[in-house]
Amino acid sequence: GWKAAINTTIINFNNEKMQITWATREIFPNENVSFFYTFDEGKHKVWKPCPTYLLDPDYNSGCLFKTEGPTLAISIRNSNGSEELFYKKLKSDFYIKPNRPENVTFFWKEDTVTVSCNKPEKAARCLRLEIQYKSKFDEEWQSRISKCCSVGEQGFDPRKCYSFRVRLRRLVPYCNVVNYSSDWGAETFWMNGTLLDSCDDDITSQPNTVIVLSCSLAVLLLMLILVILLCKWQRVQMSVLPAIPDPKYLFADLFNDHNGNLQEWLDKNDHVMLQTKPEYEEPESITEAESQQEDGKNNEKQGPLEKILTFSRAAENNDSKAAEIACLIPASNTMASFAACHILRNDDVYVML
């Protein structure tokens, strides 16, 4: 009875190679056993010794040999093969572990991905295709299983990077007595239908984008601040150091519009001067001029010509001062002398120099 209770692990690799292992240390702690197998059916069986032993570490703990048929019988014996310690007969087709999927393809359409692989030549009806995926924000894999050899899934976010892995599973209990699956295929990384080397590329690209945008915003903000400061500085400069007007522009209209005609210019601007007269005046100084006789031969003296010029000063304020000169015009046909200049006034109130 204890012979049938020995725990063995049986794996048929894609119906190509058989691997059978046993617990050597627990069952045969002090004996290095031998292994025999046969795929023959009937009374005349030919037992074959194990071609390749698996060691643990110095004791035989398993055997690897070629799959030659659907029915298998195994026998574990003592070291010289004279005594049988364990015997078992089984169906090798019920212990198949499939190979990894071959030529896996991904087809993306909007938020749906369809994964396909090559269909095995044998027993495809016993296989299921399984995909697992997760984004960089997921901690656990999400699974999807479908018939061999295509499976589709929806709901993928085009802004996320996803990791995919694919394997084939053997149906239990219709085809296998043990739930065997193939090893996972190579993990691939996808984002919006584009194959990436890893999702780390997407993770590092986001900080780079943030840095570029931050620098651009900082530059624009700095330029805006400089423009504001420049405008403020110009206003402060005009307040503290007002610009001194150029005198040549004060009488530009006298020469441009009136060709130097002083009387015409005065007539046109007389009303402007009256409008700008201050509300009150303060006398500052009075200048007297006496007329002198020009003709020495006649010894005639004319009465002194008095010209009173009154300078008025506008009330002082924080920004500027204004002054206006009021003149008393001498009588008609009189001659006025100022230093070396002689001024004759006619009846038309026209001053001739």
Side-chain angles (χ1 to χ4, degrees), residues 59-177:
Y59 292 90
N60 297 335
S61 61
C63 181
L64 186 64
F65 53 95
K66 183 179 179 180
T67 304
E68 299 176 0
T71 303
L72 172 67
I74 59 176
S75 175
I76 299 177
R77 305 174 184 179
N78 58 6
S79 57
N80 57 16
S82 60
E83 181 183 358
E84 186 177 80
L85 304 177
F86 176 76
Y87 173 85
K88 186 174 184 178
K89 186 177 180 179
L90 53 96
K91 290 289 185 178
S92 61
D93 292 345
F94 288 167
Y95 296 87
I96 294 178
K97 179 178 180 179
N99 289 337
R100 294 177 180 178
E102 297 180 353
N103 296 330
V104 179
T105 58
F106 291 79
F107 176 74
W108 290 78
K109 184 177 181 181
E110 297 178 355
D111 66 338
T112 303
V113 59
T114 302
V115 183
S116 303
C117 68
N118 286 354
K119 188 175 182 179
E121 296 179 358
K122 297 180 180 180
R125 61 180 180 81
C126 291
L127 296 175
R128 294 293 181 266
L129 181 63
E130 178 183 8
I131 63 168
Q132 286 189 347
Y133 60 90
K134 66 176 180 179
S135 70
K136 58 186 178 183
F137 303 104
D138 299 328
E139 295 182 358
E140 297 181 354
W141 290 94
Q142 306 294 324
S143 295
R144 175 78 174 178
I145 302 175
S146 182
K147 292 182 179 180
C148 184
C149 291
S150 179
V151 57
E153 182 67 2
Q154 296 179 342
F156 291 95
D157 191 341
R159 298 169 296 179
K160 295 181 180 180
C161 178
Y162 291 90
S163 303
F164 286 89
R165 60 183 185 181
V166 185
R167 69 178 177 180
L168 290 173
R169 298 182 61 176
R170 185 86 170 173
L171 283 179
V172 176
Y174 306 104
C175 299
N176 261 33
V177 294

Side-chain angles (χ1 to χ4, degrees), residues 252-269:
D253 54 345
L254 173 62
F255 299 98
N256 296 335
D257 300 338
H258 304 284
N259 295 323
N261 192 330
L262 179 62
Q263 184 61 44
E264 182 180 345
W265 179 75
L266 289 174
D267 291 342
K268 184 176 181 181
N269 294 278

Side-chain angles (χ1 to χ4, degrees), residues 292 294 335-343 353:
Q292 298 180 356
E294 294 293 329
M335 181 72 68
S337 299
F338 294 90
C341 298
H342 304 285
I343 303 175
L353 300 179

Side-chain angles (χ1 to χ4, degrees), residues 3-52:
K3 292 183 180 181
I6 294 178
N7 186 20
T8 57
T9 302
I10 304 169
I11 303 175
N12 184 358
F13 291 103
N14 200 41
N15 209 24
E16 296 173 358
K17 286 187 177 182
M18 299 290 302
Q19 175 181 290
I20 299 178
T21 58
W22 54 87
T24 301
R25 293 182 178 274
E26 291 78 3
I27 303 174
F28 313 108
N30 300 319
E31 186 173 1
N32 196 8
V33 297
S34 58
F35 179 86
F36 295 85
Y37 70 95
T38 181
F39 287 94
D40 295 335
E41 297 184 20
K43 298 181 179 179
H44 304 285
K45 298 178 181 179
V46 179
W47 293 93
K48 297 179 181 180
C50 177
T52 305

